[in-house]
Amino acid sequence: MVIPLIELVNVSKYFGYGVIGLVRFPAVDGVDLKIGGEKPEVLTLVGESGCGKSTLAKIMLRILRPTSGVAKYMGKDMWRLKRSEVRRFIRDVQPIFQDPMDTFNLFESVESYLISAARNLLKLNEEQATERIAQTLEFVGLTLDKVRGKRPQEFSGGELQRLSIARALLVQPKLLIADEPVSMLDASLRINILNLLRSAKEEFGTSILYITHDLATANYIGEKIFVMYRGSIVEQGNIEKVINKPLHPYTKVLLDSLPDYRMGREWFKKQLPQTLRTVIEVREMLLKGCKYIYYCPYKTQQCYEKPIMIEVEKSHEVACWMYYE
Amino acid sequence: MILVDNEVVLHIDNVKAGYVVGRRFIDAVSSVSLKLFYGEVFGLAGESGCGKSTLLKVIYGYIEPPLKRIEGSLILRTKNERLSLHELSDDELKRRVWWRYMTWIPQGAMSVLNPTIRVRDHFIEMFKLYSNIDKREVYRLTTEYLEALGLSKEVIDAYPIQLSGGMRQRIVIALALLFNPILVLADEPTSALDVVTQKILLEQLLKVQKERGFTLVLVSHDMDVHGVFTDRIGVMYAGKIVEVGSTDKMFAEPLHPYTKALIGSLPRLGDKSIRKGLSGAPPDLADPPPGCRFHPRCPYAMDICRREEPPIIEIEKGRIVGCWLYVKG
């Protein structure tokens, strides 16, 4: 049995809401997740804005401490690691954020930033560090000469996102957590970054967790998908199976509402099974049972209890009482 | 669709506008000519910073420094008059054109509502400013308009903060349609919403558009939204319109290399084949490249593209493209 790189066991994160934070609602609610087995793979986490996918990413990056549940790294609680283990954790798990401008310090040249990252984390001397950086930059399609002496604001958005991928790959991590890495970029540049992530897996053997609201790009690079709704994972498994045969009512709605130019006006004929969303979201967040209950056309009395993850077919699981026998 | 000249609602001719920042001039709308027809949904596509929002502002006449219009004419044809928008002063625009004939839904419009007054008071205020019907009638009309957009009666008495983003966006749209304008300019109306809400909003917007028959200009960076929602598309690149055509034809057979790349790079559900994007980045509009503005990124760039700007040519009725590849002789 391989110990997963990152494992979340019933992890929840509560945030305060209201005037003095008296109402506490879960942004992440009882999530179980395993990442990183024997082979590197590209995983995708898909959900609408506000569903808690970024919070989940921050928990996995050891930026946020879960309110309850355990986040494990190599089988150990992430927040009870020794200093040396924390160091190894940072080398193994690297982030790429949505806005590349946030990744770099505006007052420091990108080159010195990369060098200090390589030296601090990998304990290389200056020469080795430069070599490593040159290699990584070549992989993302840039050269050291192009980068030398420049500050972040002198690069375009696409270049900067390449640089932040290079920065993350510098330490050759086992897992890259990319939170909406292309949503700030223009359509014509997006696909290049996605191709880059795809080849990072081949080149460095890095697993990638790609977090997005866009199912089409998720399908493009992903092998496995997690669909998140209001803080819980509602469906997971092989991406082709989930997209071709969605099980959870929410996944179906999500797929049906994705615009596709190939359909033209015909797209509007696809009816969504739900009525309008008039419920205030926090109320949904506080639900104990299935959070989709207000919209679900198939709801039963059982749905007021929290649904458990059921394996319907091989590598295709869903958290819905409909499939419970 | 018939594209007849007497059906033109707005004729944009050779409009040039940009931002004056210090000594630099950012050429955001560079010699744009376009005709908009009655009752159509026209999509304006392009990447961020290509000037599509600026073009909308110029059409609407909302020109505040550093934005400046250099030249060009805008002629709006209503049922009984022809208005030269470029000659009207701000005051005249406000009195004669805005809200009555033309409305603009700016980007992030859902945050324009005042959170401390009820939704119905927004409507009452609008009616007070632009017409003189009594309060009860206002209430009736407001209900009617909101219901047309799929909002329930309770919404009228709610405060904007109690409503979700999609609902607020619909209220803003209802406000924009209050006086039956003939031209509605919508700047990224759904970009802040998630896909499910987006679908509902687009559905209702299209229904209202068909019922009332106004011309809708939709600015969006999402090609899929254009594909399902619009009748015609104009693609902008670096301040210029590079291609205009009907939506079906544009997607079936894009002509300009930029449009080709834009459509070709879209990932599809259920298709994992490798797609290629464009190299490089859009040019700095303060210092655009000579010749065709797309040539540094164009895979088909020829010698002439680096020297001379391509003419806008009409390939067939209603299908125009600005590219040297299609210039014969």
Side-chain angles (χ1 to χ4, degrees):
Chain A
M1 182 78 194
V2 188
I3 302 170
L5 187 69
I6 286 185
E7 187 180 4
L8 302 181
V9 185
N10 198 14
V11 160
S12 301
K13 177 75 191 175
Y14 282 77
F15 286 122
Y17 172 82
V19 187
I20 45 170
L22 275 181
V23 184
R24 286 163 62 75
F25 73 90
V28 171
D29 192 4
V31 167
D32 292 298
L33 200 72
K34 272 182 203 164
I35 292 178
E38 298 140 68
K39 276 191 296 181
E41 50 189 347
V42 183
L43 310 157
T44 57
L45 180 64
V46 175
E48 319 172 44
S49 51
C51 76
K53 51 191 194 305
S54 288
T55 310
L56 194 62
K58 283 178 188 154
I59 289 172
M60 285 190 265
L61 283 165
R62 204 176 166 274
I63 294 171
L64 284 178
R65 196 171 185 155
T67 316
S68 67
V70 196
K72 287 180 188 169
Y73 161 68
M74 300 292 270
K76 285 182 196 161
D77 187 343
M78 251 183 220
W79 291 89
R80 294 209 180 130
L81 296 178
K82 284 187 222 123
R83 250 205 161 142
S84 61
E85 287 170 323
V86 171
R87 232 192 159 77
R88 229 181 58 218
F89 173 81
I90 295 172
R91 274 186 61 173
D92 279 353
V93 185
Q94 278 286 326
I96 298 169
F97 293 108
Q98 180 171 15
D99 188 350
M101 274 289 178
D102 286 347
T103 313
F104 293 98
N105 184 347
L106 293 183
F107 299 100
E108 201 181 332
S109 82
V110 171
E111 187 199 3
S112 76
Y113 190 91
L114 290 173
I115 286 181
S116 61
R119 293 186 68 179
N120 289 340
L121 284 172
L122 295 171
K123 302 250 190 271
L124 300 174
N125 63 30
E126 186 130 9
E127 212 172 288
Q128 288 167 314
T130 323
E131 204 189 306
R132 179 58 93 65
I133 291 165
Q135 276 172 7
T136 328
L137 284 178
E138 200 193 318
F139 171 73
V140 299
L142 292 164
T143 56
L144 201 55
D145 288 338
K146 238 181 157 181
V147 175
R148 194 161 279 148
K150 277 192 185 169
R151 296 209 180 152
Q153 55 271 50
E154 291 170 62
F155 293 95
S156 71
E159 279 176 320
L160 215 52
Q161 195 59 290
R162 278 165 194 278
L163 281 169
S164 73
I165 291 176
R167 187 209 58 80
L169 287 175
L170 206 58
V171 293
Q172 300 189 347
K174 289 187 182 141
L175 174 67
L176 265 186
I177 297 183
D179 190 358
E180 299 268 17
V182 295
S183 64
M184 301 281 282
L185 301 178
D186 290 324
S188 63
L189 299 170
R190 246 174 230 183
I191 206 81
N192 298 338
I193 298 291
L194 292 175
N195 286 340
L196 204 59
L197 287 176
R198 245 180 160 180
S199 49
K201 190 196 105 182
E202 312 294 329
E203 191 94 353
F204 295 94
T206 305
S207 287
I208 290 155
L209 177 68
Y210 173 66
I211 300 171
T212 184
H213 65 279
D214 184 359
L215 265 165
T217 56
N219 171 62
Y220 181 68
I221 70 165
E223 291 157 16
K224 207 177 164 196
I225 190 173
F226 300 94
V227 182
M228 210 170 167
Y229 182 75
R230 303 272 188 270
S232 308
I233 287 173
V234 294
E235 189 163 351
Q236 64 186 45
N238 179 296
I239 199 156
E240 267 112 42
K241 284 184 185 165
V242 173
I243 280 172
N244 294 330
K245 206 183 122 199
L247 296 172
H248 198 280
Y250 172 68
T251 319
K252 286 179 190 162
V253 167
L254 200 62
L255 280 164
D256 276 348
S257 51
L258 202 67
D260 187 340
Y261 72 78
R262 291 174 300 186
M263 299 178 74
R265 286 275 163 83
E266 290 289 307
W267 177 70
F268 287 101
K269 290 189 182 142
K270 267 196 198 173
Q271 286 287 319
L272 298 183
Q274 64 181 58
T275 48
L276 294 169
R277 337 188 112 205
T278 44
V279 194
I280 292 156
E281 296 196 1
V282 175
R283 207 177 98 199
E284 285 171 45
M285 289 293 213
L286 293 172
L287 280 172
K288 285 276 177 293
C290 176
K291 311 234 158 146
Y292 195 60
I293 199 162
Y294 287 126
Y295 310 116
C296 190
Y298 315 105
K299 70 171 174 209
T300 59
Q301 209 51 41
Q302 204 172 18
C303 298
Y304 289 93
E305 284 166 49
K306 195 177 163 71
I308 44 172
M309 204 49 101
I310 304 149
E311 188 165 31
V312 177
E313 55 183 324
K314 197 177 174 289
S315 63
H316 192 176
E317 293 169 75
V318 64
C320 178
W321 288 115
M322 255 204 304
Y323 301 94
Y324 188 76
E325 281 153 25
Chain B
M1 200 190 352
I2 333 141
L3 308 171
V4 199
D5 271 6
N6 59 14
E7 296 276 313
V8 172
V9 61
L10 182 75
H11 190 170
I12 306 163
D13 192 25
N14 198 24
V15 166
K16 240 174 140 62
Y19 298 90
V20 184
V21 184
R23 278 188 200 154
R24 303 197 320 157
F25 176 69
I26 293 155
D27 195 4
V29 175
S30 168
S31 312
V32 166
S33 300
L34 200 63
K35 279 176 187 165
L36 299 175
F37 299 90
Y38 268 103
E40 71 168 346
V41 182
F42 185 83
L44 211 49
E47 298 170 296
S48 50
C50 73
K52 45 193 198 312
S53 294
T54 313
L55 180 60
L56 274 204
K57 276 189 202 168
V58 172
I59 294 174
Y60 193 60
Y62 187 77
I63 297 168
E64 278 187 342
L67 179 61
K68 206 176 163 200
R69 192 180 63 225
I70 310 293
E71 57 175 19
S73 66
L74 295 149
I75 293 162
L76 183 76
R77 282 174 47 155
T78 68
K79 274 207 183 88
N80 33 27
E81 56 184 329
R82 277 177 63 138
L83 292 162
S84 300
L85 297 180
H86 55 284
E87 284 165 1
L88 298 180
S89 68
D90 279 5
D91 223 35
E92 276 175 310
L93 275 174
K94 251 181 223 165
R95 230 162 6 103
R96 291 172 61 191
V97 182
W98 291 357
W99 299 99
R100 272 174 222 290
Y101 291 133
M102 183 159 70
T103 46
W104 174 48
I105 305 167
Q107 203 165 355
M110 56 195 196
S111 44
V112 301
L113 298 174
N114 184 343
T116 59
I117 63 171
R118 289 176 198 277
V119 168
R120 60 155 189 257
D121 295 329
H122 287 93
F123 285 84
I124 291 170
E125 212 167 287
M126 281 292 301
F127 276 111
K128 254 190 210 157
L129 282 170
Y130 289 93
S131 70
N132 42 7
I133 50 177
D134 74 309
K135 226 173 164 178
R136 198 167 301 155
E137 184 69 9
V138 170
Y139 202 82
R140 194 187 65 76
L141 278 173
T142 310
T143 328
E144 198 185 300
Y145 284 139
L146 288 178
E147 270 172 4
L149 281 161
L151 290 169
S152 60
K153 268 187 183 163
E154 296 90 68
V155 170
I156 296 173
D157 292 320
Y159 287 96
I161 46 162
Q162 296 173 310
L163 306 172
S164 70
M167 291 162 93
R168 271 183 285 161
Q169 189 72 353
R170 273 188 292 222
I171 288 165
V172 175
I173 291 170
L175 277 170
L177 303 180
L178 220 48
F179 302 103
N180 279 322
I182 52 173
L183 179 62
V184 177
L185 313 167
D187 194 352
E188 302 268 14
T190 59
S191 65
L193 310 173
D194 37 51
V195 282
V196 183
T197 325
Q198 168 174 285
K199 170 149 193 185
I200 297 166
L201 189 99
L202 290 178
E203 241 168 48
Q204 278 149 350
L205 194 56
L206 194 66
K207 204 182 95 211
V208 176
Q209 192 269 338
K210 288 273 165 289
E211 277 166 17
R212 303 212 200 160
F214 55 81
T215 305
L216 179 65
V217 180
L218 178 91
V219 165
S220 175
H221 64 277
D222 190 337
M223 288 307 279
D224 281 311
V225 169
H226 284 296
V228 298
F229 192 71
T230 60
D231 298 315
R232 284 201 308 145
I233 305 183
V235 178
M236 271 185 99
Y237 181 79
K240 285 191 177 295
I241 294 237
V242 295
E243 188 170 354
V244 180
S246 72
T247 305
D248 320 340
K249 283 193 181 155
M250 190 82 106
F251 279 102
E253 192 201 344
L255 294 175
H256 197 280
Y258 176 64
T259 323
K260 279 183 187 162
L262 209 56
I263 294 169
S265 70
L266 291 174
R268 298 288 85 198
L269 272 186
D271 180 5
K272 292 192 128 184
S273 57
I274 297 245
R275 277 156 201 280
K276 274 200 182 126
L278 285 167
S279 59
D284 179 8
L285 289 180
D287 180 24
C292 173
R293 288 186 176 183
F294 187 61
H295 85 255
R297 302 173 77 190
C298 183
Y300 311 100
M302 299 176 288
D303 211 28
I304 196 165
C305 306
R306 294 183 188 96
R307 282 181 281 116
E308 275 174 69
E309 206 171 287
I312 300 279
I313 45 171
E314 192 159 12
I315 299 272
E316 54 186 65
K317 184 85 185 140
R319 187 83 197 269
I320 59 170
V321 63
C323 178
W324 282 112
L325 286 176
Y326 301 94
V327 181
K328 290 188 185 92

